[in-house]
Amino acid sequence: MPYGKPTQDSALDKEVTIHTLHKMKAEKEKFVTVALYDAPMSAMAKKSGVQVLLVGDSLGMTVLGYDSTIPVTMEQMIYHVEAVRRGNNKSLIMGDMPFMSYATPEDAMKNATRIMQAGAHMVKMEGGEWLAETVKMLSDRGIPVCAHLGLTPQSVNKLGGYRVQGRSDEQARIMLKDAKLLDQAGADLLVLECVPSTLAQEITAAVSMPTIGIGAGAETDAQVLVINDILGLTEQPPKFSKNFLVESEDIPGSLKKFVGDVRTGVFPGPEHTFG
Ligand code: KIV
């Protein structure tokens, strides 16, 4: 196992920054991200040592009852980023840019500004090569960007469903190329969702930015899960997720278990991984 034992298993005592995460990648120390949406969970995540909070547009499905992320609006994202920020002054907060809010660099600039002013420390956007120009523009102007490749849920209609991406040689080649382009354009983090573990490992080794996997195997620099999956609130949980509440006494215990299991390399196991 390339990663060391946990060095931190309790409340965050220092503010997590982009610099912290890049240093952790360099030192092969895993970090943990949770997608969550409100102030009390955000406060618990701080107490449990979760370094990065993603206010994901998954809130469309997990909180608002839509059947995809497509209906989520800027106003809804801003409302939830503000709430998460009020609960936590230590974790790094990443705000998702909703569907079509970054279709042009100008839209991205205007809408990323609003997410940052709501309290996020960085924005997340789904896309490959076409997004590199936007990443560079935001990054040059002081807005850190997390890119997102693999299964990009805002493109579910184009992808024809929620499926593992990058299985063919050609798809894998394009994803690796896109990751390198986004890295060169200045992206600071990369989410890899539902990607074969060997491809995620190859991308992680090829880019300078830390990678955060969800259904991407154990070799990414970090892991992310959605809070509803961690707490067993999802009726049909995805293969890559795990209910940590069944092995814990309470919600903070579940978050601590997730943090510990990621940092020691126990999670994700082969049963959560796509070959
Ligand atoms: O919206 C979200 O929560 C996400 C994660 C699943 C990576 O994009």
Side-chain angles (χ1 to χ4, degrees):
M1 188 177 66
Y3 289 85
K5 63 182 183 329
T7 53
Q8 168 194 20
D9 56 4
S10 57
L12 296 174
D13 53 5
K14 277 208 300 213
E15 238 179 280
V16 177
T17 65
I18 290 294
H19 178 73
T20 318
L21 305 177
H22 281 253
K23 189 161 172 277
M24 289 177 87
K25 174 171 177 125
E27 294 174 356
K28 297 201 179 301
E29 199 186 324
K30 299 233 182 210
F31 63 88
V32 179
T33 301
V34 175
L36 49 74
Y37 320 101
D38 61 35
M41 284 300 174
S42 174
M44 278 184 198
K46 171 173 132 182
K47 286 198 188 119
S48 309
V50 178
Q51 286 92 356
V52 180
L53 309 183
L54 168 61
V55 187
D57 63 352
S58 51
L59 67 85
M61 297 154 97
T62 55
V63 178
L64 302 177
Y66 299 129
D67 62 5
S68 78
T69 57
I70 291 173
V72 175
T73 64
M74 275 300 295
E75 283 63 36
Q76 287 163 343
M77 288 311 305
I78 286 169
Y79 180 85
H80 286 276
V81 168
E82 286 174 348
V84 168
R85 181 61 189 263
R86 283 192 286 268
N88 187 323
N89 60 0
K90 293 285 190 285
S91 306
L92 184 138
I93 297 171
M94 194 150 74
D96 238 341
M97 298 276 283
F99 184 62
M100 285 302 144
S101 66
Y102 51 99
T104 66
E106 293 68 32
D107 284 349
M109 180 71 89
K110 190 177 74 201
N111 290 316
T113 302
R114 294 183 70 199
I115 298 274
M116 297 298 281
Q117 289 178 336
H121 303 106
M122 74 189 299
V123 297
K124 180 168 85 55
M125 298 184 291
E126 300 176 6
E129 183 173 3
W130 69 270
L131 203 55
E133 181 192 350
T134 299
V135 168
K136 176 155 175 41
M137 193 174 78
L138 295 182
S139 177
D140 285 351
R141 285 158 183 75
I143 300 183
V145 177
C146 175
H148 183 156
L149 292 173
L151 171 53
T152 46
Q154 290 173 13
S155 304
V156 62
N157 292 303
K158 184 82 182 164
L159 299 175
Y162 296 98
R163 308 159 183 275
V164 179
Q165 300 295 309
R167 279 204 149 133
S168 72
D169 288 349
E170 178 63 0
Q171 277 187 348
R173 189 188 61 74
I174 292 172
M175 205 185 299
L176 178 61
K177 183 172 128 245
D178 286 353
K180 288 181 182 168
L181 284 172
L182 293 162
D183 197 38
Q184 283 155 14
D188 275 296
L189 291 176
L190 174 64
V191 166
L192 292 172
E193 179 166 354
C194 291
V195 171
S197 54
T198 46
L199 176 59
Q201 183 172 13
E202 193 180 354
I203 292 174
T204 299
V207 296
S208 63
M209 60 187 159
T211 58
I212 307 177
I214 176 161
E219 302 302 331
T220 50
D221 299 303
Q223 295 292 325
V224 56
L225 282 184
V226 170
I227 189 72
N228 294 49
D229 293 342
I230 293 175
L231 300 181
L233 295 170
T234 312
E235 225 170 284
Q236 288 182 313
K239 166 186 161 91
F240 56 72
S241 73
K242 180 172 168 185
N243 175 349
F244 284 87
L245 189 57
V246 290
E247 296 174 17
S248 318
E249 280 191 352
D250 51 19
I251 294 175
S254 316
L255 286 169
K256 279 186 193 148
K257 175 101 180 89
F258 176 46
V259 170
D261 282 3
V262 169
R263 291 174 65 86
T264 51
V266 171
F267 179 86
E271 69 277 26
H272 309 114
T273 298
F274 301 105

